[in-house]
Amino acid sequence: MTDNNALFIRGGRSCEVSFADRALSSPLYLILLVICCAVPYIFSAYAAGFWLCVFLLSLSLVLTRNIMPSFAAFLFCTVAVIEQYKITYEEIFGYAGVLALVIPALIYHIIRYRRGRRGYRPGRMFAPQLAVSAALLLGGLGSISAKEYFSLPSIYYMLFLGVVLLGIMVFLDCDMPADGEYAAKYLANTLIAVAALFCVMWLIAFFKDGAQEFPYRQWKNNAGNFMLLAVPLTLWRGARSQRGVFYLLFAVLQCFVVFLSGSRGATLMIGVTGLVSVAVYFVFVKNTARRAAEFAVLFALAVVVAAVVLSDGAARLKEFIGEMDVFDGNGREELYYLGIRNILDYPLFGVGIGYRNDEVWKLNDMAIFWYHSTPIQIFASMGAVGGAAYLWQVIERLKLALRRNHFSVAALLSFIGFEGYSCVNTGDFTPLPFGVLLAVMFIVLERYNRDLPFIGKSTGERVDFMRGRY
């Protein structure tokens, strides 16, 4: 091999990586995705951004076996329409045309790249996800009505959090690069690009609203979820780059944007995981002179920010902490009370994902009853059966992430931040994008840590994907 970064192995023979593979592994591809979402957002043409990203998703499926570029386009598809959180059934079916692009591309991808695809061997995450799938289907047994159980939102969430997500995991696992370093970098860079898009969207919203104060947007919580996942991986990329200070400053910017957005739970969690991630960053930066210089830059920035934001000193800080009460006037107390009551009344199987209580909370067309807390959502919807399944999944994820390398530590901090925020939000029960995103993160972790059932075993024609040029 003349250049391991430009080759992959098929059947023991070295082959040049195609132009398409190199292009889709380039930062320019991610920049293009950002532009495809940001420009339509200026004109509130959310559907245009969505369709552009769908086109790139389908094109990626056709041009390469590597599933990471398609996954990146998928994430941007979900961000493109993030303003449409109150979407109706009619609007949803208006996007059904996406199937006309994606399904043929997916079928072509499966057939075109079948040669060399290893037979699937379940990884660490398969059995727990299977248990979660069963718990979702059994949720509400003996209590939920047939109308609620078979409602469109109920079917969607049961399947896409369960068996459909399991199928997606198998597909992703079969066509994800075996090179863990490449997959980890691609995942990190994708989340960095998504975080950059949100920063641009906030800037656009700021000018749209008159450039007087930081704008309020309903999607602040989703942006917070993405940045909780992105910040530790941004710093992981920075520690491995000669331009690490730029990654460090962008991680700080993400934290600051979450703070300004008014997402209280996200701010609390990013305040914890962000600080720990910065500390871990400096531990893994081995060059002493670089570490000292970057710490000096960070300290100077902290002094400037403190002088501006906390100009009134202790009084301003006390006011800010007081405003961080997640129960302040948002109705969560009543949701939690109802959830606990449902847990006590139906301890084994819960009340089901399709449960409704319009007297407490009037749902949008495609919403389930959100308790705004993952633990309560699990036990209220699926009872002890669901609790056991999700606990098993969490334990297996922690086992995979508790390794002594920077990427595993960063992924663990991303996971902790996301799950901590999900204790007062709906993150875990949002199958698209967060269910898929977490599944990808732990599949990547399996590859990075070589925790794979097929390593060292004969799999027929072996395929080792290109490593990319990150």
Side-chain angles (χ1 to χ4, degrees), residues 236-252:
W236 171 72
R237 288 291 286 123
R240 304 167 68 83
S241 170
Q242 294 301 314
R243 298 179 293 275
V245 67
F246 296 106
Y247 289 93
L248 177 63
L249 293 176
F250 184 58
V252 172

Side-chain angles (χ1 to χ4, degrees), residues 407-451:
F407 179 72
S408 294
V409 174
L412 178 62
L413 288 169
S414 294
F415 180 61
I416 289 172
F418 178 84
E419 291 299 335
Y421 184 30
S422 291
C423 287
V424 292
N425 197 37
T426 61
D428 277 304
F429 282 80
T430 308
L432 306 177
F434 296 117
V436 174
L437 177 49
L438 287 179
V440 167
M441 186 168 77
F442 285 97
I443 292 173
V444 170
L445 263 175
E446 284 184 323
R447 277 157 171 70
Y448 193 86
N449 292 321
R450 310 296 286 172
D451 193 342

Side-chain angles (χ1 to χ4, degrees), residues 105-355:
L106 182 60
I107 293 172
Y108 175 87
H109 176 95
I110 292 171
I111 296 172
R112 167 68 177 81
Y113 302 107
R114 69 188 183 281
R115 186 175 178 179
R117 181 178 288 126
R118 70 177 180 84
Y120 179 71
R121 289 185 175 88
R124 185 185 289 273
M125 295 297 109
F126 181 88
Q129 179 60 35
L130 183 62
V132 166
S133 302
L136 285 159
L137 294 172
L138 292 170
L141 185 64
S143 64
I144 193 171
S145 69
K147 180 181 178 182
E148 289 177 332
Y149 187 88
F150 291 105
S151 67
L152 184 58
S154 176
I155 293 296
Y156 166 70
Y157 281 95
M158 279 193 297
L159 295 182
F160 276 80
L161 288 169
V163 293
V164 172
L165 182 56
L166 185 65
I168 291 171
M169 286 171 57
V170 172
F171 171 65
L172 293 172
D173 205 357
C174 287
D175 279 358
M176 184 178 289
D179 186 335
E181 181 74 19
Y182 167 83
K185 287 178 179 177
Y186 205 111
L187 173 62
N189 287 346
T190 299
L191 287 173
I192 290 169
V194 172
L197 172 60
F198 274 114
C199 291
V200 172
M201 288 167 63
W202 281 121
L203 187 63
I204 294 169
F206 175 72
F207 286 109
K208 274 189 170 184
D209 290 2
Q212 297 297 316
E213 58 184 14
F214 198 88
Y216 171 85
R217 288 296 184 272
Q218 176 66 28
W219 44 260
K220 69 185 189 305
N221 295 330
N222 279 332
N225 272 319
F226 271 112
M227 290 183 181
L228 280 164
L229 292 164
V231 165
L233 295 180
T234 302
L235 291 166
W236 171 72
R237 288 291 286 123
R240 304 167 68 83
S241 170
Q242 294 301 314
R243 298 179 293 275
V245 67
F246 296 106
Y247 289 93
L248 177 63
L249 293 176
F250 184 58
V252 172
L253 176 63
Q254 291 177 62
C255 295
F256 194 57
V257 167
V258 171
F259 165 78
L260 291 175
S261 74
S263 180
R264 297 167 180 171
T267 299
L268 287 171
M269 288 311 305
I270 212 164
V272 175
T273 59
L275 285 173
V276 175
S277 297
V278 168
V280 170
Y281 169 84
F282 283 112
V283 168
F284 280 93
V285 171
K286 301 304 181 184
N287 186 295
T288 305
R290 172 184 163 182
R291 185 189 300 144
E294 291 181 357
F295 184 82
V297 171
L298 187 62
F299 181 77
L301 180 63
V303 170
V304 172
V305 170
V308 173
V309 176
L310 301 176
S311 56
D312 295 332
R316 183 75 177 272
L317 180 61
K318 183 178 179 181
E319 179 185 353
F320 169 73
I321 294 174
E323 291 176 352
M324 281 295 103
D325 180 8
V326 296
F327 301 113
D328 184 20
N330 51 33
R332 278 183 169 82
E333 302 97 320
E334 190 173 0
L335 297 175
Y336 295 165
Y337 173 78
L338 176 61
I340 292 170
R341 194 175 71 194
N342 287 341
I343 293 169
L344 296 175
D345 289 343
Y346 304 98
L348 188 57
F349 295 107
V351 295
I353 285 291
Y355 168 83

